[in-house]
Amino acid sequence: MLASGVLLASLLVAAVLIWLRRDRRYQSSESVASAYDAWTDDRLLERLWGEHVHLGHYGDPPASRDFRRAKEAFVHELIRWSGLDQLPPGSKLIDVGCGIGGSARILARDYGFDVLGISISPVQVRRATELTPEGLSCRFAVMDALELDCPNHSFDAVWSVEAGPHMPDKQRYADELLRVLRPGGHLAVADWNRRDPSDGEMNRRERWVMRQLLNQWAHPEFASIKGFQTNLDVSDHHQSVVETADWTSATLPSWIDSIAEGVRRPGAVLGLGPSAVLQGLRETPTLLLMHWAFATGLMQFGVFRLKR
């Protein structure tokens, strides 16, 4: 027991030291692709969190819920809130920043949509394709969200979850989402957003936390909810009034659950070897900082739709 405790403490110290020295700051779209290639290849996130590399929805007020079920619930909640459930089966949808395809498969399987999932990471696209059953109307392609290789107005719905923080040009991101959406189509965007400067400038502690949140996970910048709403509203492809909501409360338990999954499913980590244990510990400080930032109002979880 003593030996295992010493080993765990040693791993934790090593993980923190690596975290303090590590710099994954955004350099280019290639640096984002490389980060997601690595995270997908090592399978740690998939083994711990399942097919959905995004936050869960726990209700408002939040209630106890299995982490993986909360992730699936998030998809259905966003579908209902954005009005995608009003679209008929066969509607064409693009999932911008599809990860390993968890949301795309639900959209195709449960709602009958014809889904194209895109990611800048070739390894994510390969894994998403491997996980998708034959016969499901769901395919994946490597594509840059800032330069979608799709004609104007080619989709009935556009879906994008937690992709915006990786976009260096938020206006271009908004423009591309709306460019490929047909007139009268449905938009569903959910993202990690910073507090708007008009609601209070960051203090010294918050600036340090923000630097970590950006640099640890290859984010060039976070938009605020107000800021990205403006990006959508002023786009040359603007279609109608953009409505927003703040889902911070409903998604907040996800951060601690992200860490707790390693305790609940120890075999998922241990089965990948000692390096996976170290990696899991290494990501823990950033997850805790994310929880703190969302709990204190430095960050907000924003959702965006076109006026229904």
Side-chain angles (χ1 to χ4, degrees):
M1 181 68 72
L2 179 60
S4 62
V6 170
L7 176 60
L8 180 60
S10 299
L11 284 171
L12 184 58
V13 170
V16 171
L17 290 174
I18 293 171
W19 181 82
L20 288 170
R21 292 199 302 266
R22 185 181 62 184
D23 188 351
R24 283 182 184 158
R25 73 182 61 192
Y26 175 89
Q27 298 174 355
S28 65
S29 58
E30 287 76 18
S31 68
V32 176
S34 295
Y36 276 99
D37 282 350
W39 290 328
T40 305
D41 254 340
D42 64 37
R43 299 287 174 89
L44 178 60
L45 294 184
E46 183 181 336
R47 292 280 296 270
L48 274 178
W49 299 349
E51 299 181 22
H52 301 275
V53 188
H54 59 69
L55 302 189
H57 193 287
Y58 294 78
D60 199 2
S64 179
R65 178 176 280 174
D66 176 81
F67 186 41
R68 297 190 185 194
R69 289 184 182 276
K71 287 170 172 283
E72 293 179 7
F74 174 91
V75 177
H76 295 293
E77 289 289 341
L78 186 59
I79 288 169
R80 285 191 290 269
W81 182 82
S82 60
L84 265 68
D85 57 345
Q86 300 170 16
L87 292 170
S91 298
K92 295 182 64 177
L93 178 145
I94 184 170
D95 179 354
V96 179
C98 64
I100 58 175
S103 298
R105 283 185 286 277
I106 288 178
L107 289 158
R109 183 193 69 217
D110 295 355
Y111 298 89
F113 298 149
D114 179 11
V115 180
L116 169 64
I118 68 108
S119 171
I120 202 167
S121 162
V123 179
Q124 279 194 330
V125 167
R126 183 192 70 205
R127 184 59 181 152
T129 303
E130 291 171 351
L131 291 170
T132 301
E134 288 187 19
L136 193 64
S137 186
C138 187
R139 64 198 187 282
F140 301 93
V142 178
M143 207 177 294
D144 188 340
L146 298 184
E147 195 171 351
L148 295 173
D149 187 17
C150 304
N152 291 355
H153 311 148
S154 50
F155 294 95
D156 301 301
V158 171
W159 174 278
S160 188
V161 173
E162 298 176 16
H166 292 298
M167 308 299 167
D169 188 334
K170 311 302 185 191
Q171 187 60 57
R172 188 170 176 182
Y173 172 51
D175 290 343
E176 283 294 274
L177 295 180
L178 294 177
R179 179 184 67 79
V180 300
L181 182 64
R182 69 163 173 80
H186 291 257
L187 177 74
V189 176
D191 249 329
W192 305 344
N193 298 107
R194 59 160 290 172
R195 183 178 67 232
D196 194 81
S198 66
D199 295 324
E201 294 292 338
M202 290 184 286
N203 60 35
R204 183 175 179 180
R205 176 188 295 177
E206 290 174 329
R207 288 195 298 271
W208 181 87
V209 171
M210 184 61 69
R211 282 197 302 272
Q212 300 307 316
L213 301 187
L214 293 173
N215 293 350
Q216 291 293 331
W217 286 348
H219 300 135
E221 186 55 272
F222 298 112
S224 68
I225 294 176
K226 291 178 184 176
F228 192 63
Q229 181 179 22
T230 298
N231 292 142
L232 292 166
D233 280 336
V234 304
S235 172
D236 290 340
H237 306 281
H238 174 69
Q239 297 187 11
S240 64
V241 174
V242 176
E243 297 181 321
T244 70
D246 185 341
W247 283 11
T248 301
S249 175
T251 57
L252 185 60
S254 301
W255 299 108
I256 300 303
D257 263 355
S258 297
I259 301 168
E261 284 296 281
V263 178
R264 298 183 188 121
R265 294 182 168 93
V269 183
L270 296 174
L272 295 173
S275 62
V277 177
L278 182 60
Q279 181 183 336
L281 292 171
R282 187 174 60 197
E283 301 297 346
T284 297
T286 309
L287 292 167
L288 291 172
L289 286 179
M290 278 289 191
H291 179 268
W292 182 88
F294 279 90
T296 61
L298 174 61
M299 296 289 291
Q300 298 170 309
F301 194 94
V303 288
F304 306 79
R305 68 185 180 192
L306 298 182
K307 184 174 177 61
R308 295 166 65 180

